[in-house]
Amino acid sequence: MKSGVGSNRGWPLTAGPLPTMADSLRKYFGLTQERLAAWLGVHRVVLAQAETGQRRLPLGPSQQGIPDVRLSLAKQGLLMQPGQSAEPAPPPLPMPVDSRPVLRRLQACRQQAANLRQQLPTMQARATAFANRLAALPALRAYTGPMPNPAREAAWLDRFEQEAVSGLRGECGPVLQGVAAARLAGLTHEMELLEELLAALPPATPTVAASPATPTT
């Protein structure tokens, strides 16, 4: 059943000093003042003044289309007809679908996960070698027998230890292996979610209506 939208029934054709009208439309449709002012056919300053209650929007029956009423009705899923009656609007446009961001992220995750799977065994092997050094150092340093050059051996053992400690702290120790394993687990879970998202996406839809074909002469 159609409903009246005349100036005295429900929808004023001239907006009163209600700052919420234009402001709520802008928020609902994500419009700037410039964009809404262009639709209403007024200057942005006029719209800003109307939003703050300083003046009325100069809209009335003389303005064809009554933009403010049409936009307000469209917000409710209604269509305004020339006879100033409202009826249900046509179905909404389909949501645009673009799977490319998902595919790009999925490809990046796969590459990062592959790199981590290669790095983890190397990290584990290096960490084992460095741990072997730390295990052997007490015995090497506790030796009390003759040495050709005790100072040189002590310096060599110090470097032997420093390399192991530095490597375990900054390259391949258990903590860093745990970080890499956590990253790999996170990427694996993210890939699963991305693959589910791809499977659930509807077929791609055009975002802009095609232009009418130009007649040939």
Side-chain angles (χ1 to χ4, degrees), residues 132-147 150 153-154 156-158 160-161:
N132 292 340
R133 293 191 189 189
L134 297 180
L137 271 166
L140 294 172
R141 285 191 170 129
Y143 174 73
T144 59
M147 303 176 197
E153 182 171 313
W156 189 91
L157 289 175
D158 286 344
F160 187 71
E161 178 184 1

Side-chain angles (χ1 to χ4, degrees), residues 9-214:
R9 291 186 296 171
W11 291 96
L13 300 185
T14 302
L18 298 176
T20 58
M21 186 280 293
D23 186 53
S24 65
L25 287 176
R26 288 202 303 108
K27 290 179 180 178
Y28 184 82
F29 291 110
L31 295 171
T32 62
Q33 286 183 334
E34 288 83 359
R35 296 284 288 136
L36 182 56
W39 168 258
L40 297 176
V42 299
H43 194 277
R44 185 198 66 79
V45 174
V46 174
L47 178 61
Q49 291 173 342
E51 287 188 353
T52 57
Q54 299 178 39
R55 63 172 299 166
R56 300 162 68 91
L57 286 176
L59 302 176
S62 61
Q63 188 168 357
Q64 292 184 356
I66 316 177
D68 60 330
V69 179
R70 291 172 57 203
L71 201 59
S72 296
L73 288 172
K75 176 182 174 182
Q76 301 181 63
L78 297 174
L79 164 68
M80 179 177 179
Q81 294 293 10
Q84 296 187 5
S85 61
E87 59 184 47
L93 296 177
M95 293 287 287
V97 175
D98 186 358
S99 62
R100 289 175 296 180
V102 183
L103 291 170
R104 285 195 294 266
R105 180 55 190 166
L106 184 57
Q107 182 179 6
C109 287
R110 286 171 175 166
Q111 184 61 55
Q112 293 172 29
N115 292 341
L116 285 170
R117 291 191 187 99
Q118 291 180 346
Q119 292 170 10
L120 272 170
T122 302
M123 293 174 69
Q124 292 164 353
R126 286 179 59 80
T128 298
F130 288 146
N132 292 340
R133 293 191 189 189
L134 297 180
L137 271 166
L140 294 172
R141 285 191 170 129
Y143 174 73
T144 59
M147 303 176 197
N149 191 330
R152 184 181 65 184
E153 182 171 313
W156 189 91
L157 289 175
D158 286 344
R159 184 172 181 181
F160 187 71
E161 178 184 1
Q162 290 169 4
E163 289 173 349
V165 171
S166 176
L168 289 170
R169 283 179 176 170
E171 298 175 15
C172 60
V175 173
L176 295 178
Q177 289 180 46
V179 171
R183 290 181 58 201
L184 180 57
L187 288 167
T188 301
H189 183 57
E190 184 177 357
M191 287 187 291
E192 292 172 355
L193 294 176
L194 291 172
E195 288 167 353
E196 291 176 4
L197 176 59
L198 278 176
L201 286 178
T205 55
T207 57
V208 179
S211 302
T214 304

